[in-house]
């Protein structure tokens, strides 16, 4: 069982459950570990869990992947540029249809 307490936060190990199938595992996990209403849960089979050592991190770089999330970027300048480009394209298409281009 892993839980994420805040949006954008890390999932942390919060315990183990024993169950006959996935549905039972999910229900048991929610019953036992859903205190304080976490943002997100992961129920993962033990065979799929691994450990990252200091050597793994130095070989593969950092585990910080914040660059993957849109909220880390200021998109306002890009949005203005896209809007201006779309306006230019619309105007160019109008001129082409009128035979002005």
């Amino acid at each position: 069982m892993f839980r994420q307490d805040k949006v954008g936060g890390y999932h942390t190990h919060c315990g183990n459950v024993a169950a006959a199938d996935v549905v039972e595992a999910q229900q048991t996990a929610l019953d036992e570990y859903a205190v304080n209403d976490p943002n997100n849960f992961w129920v993962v089979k033990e065979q799929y869990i691994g450990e990252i050592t200091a050597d793994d991190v130095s070989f593969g770089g950092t585990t910080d992947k914040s660059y993957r999330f849109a909220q880390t970027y200021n998109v306002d300048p890009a949005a203005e540029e896209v809007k201006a480009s779309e306006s230019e394209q619309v105007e160019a298409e109008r001129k082409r249809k009128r035979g002005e281009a």
Side-chain angles (χ1 to χ4, degrees), residues 46-81:
E46 185 177 18
Q47 70 194 54
Y48 298 119
I49 297 174
E51 181 180 354
I52 297 175
T53 66
D55 291 339
D56 294 331
V57 172
S58 65
F59 174 75
T62 180
T63 57
D64 176 20
K65 306 293 185 202
S66 61
Y67 62 85
R68 295 181 176 181
F69 303 108
Q71 63 263 36
T72 62
Y73 294 96
N74 179 0
V75 296
D76 291 336
E80 291 171 12
E81 186 176 329

Side-chain angles (χ1 to χ4, degrees), residues 1-4 11-19 21-30 33 40-51:
M1 264 308 306
F2 294 87
R3 65 184 278 154
Q4 179 190 45
H11 283 79
T12 56
H13 182 262
C14 62
N16 300 314
V17 295
D21 58 26
V22 173
V23 174
E24 183 182 338
Q26 290 173 331
Q27 189 57 53
T28 303
L30 288 172
Y33 300 105
N40 198 343
F41 267 122
W42 285 349
V43 179
V44 183
K45 286 185 176 183
E46 185 177 18
Q47 70 194 54
Y48 298 119
I49 297 174
E51 181 180 354

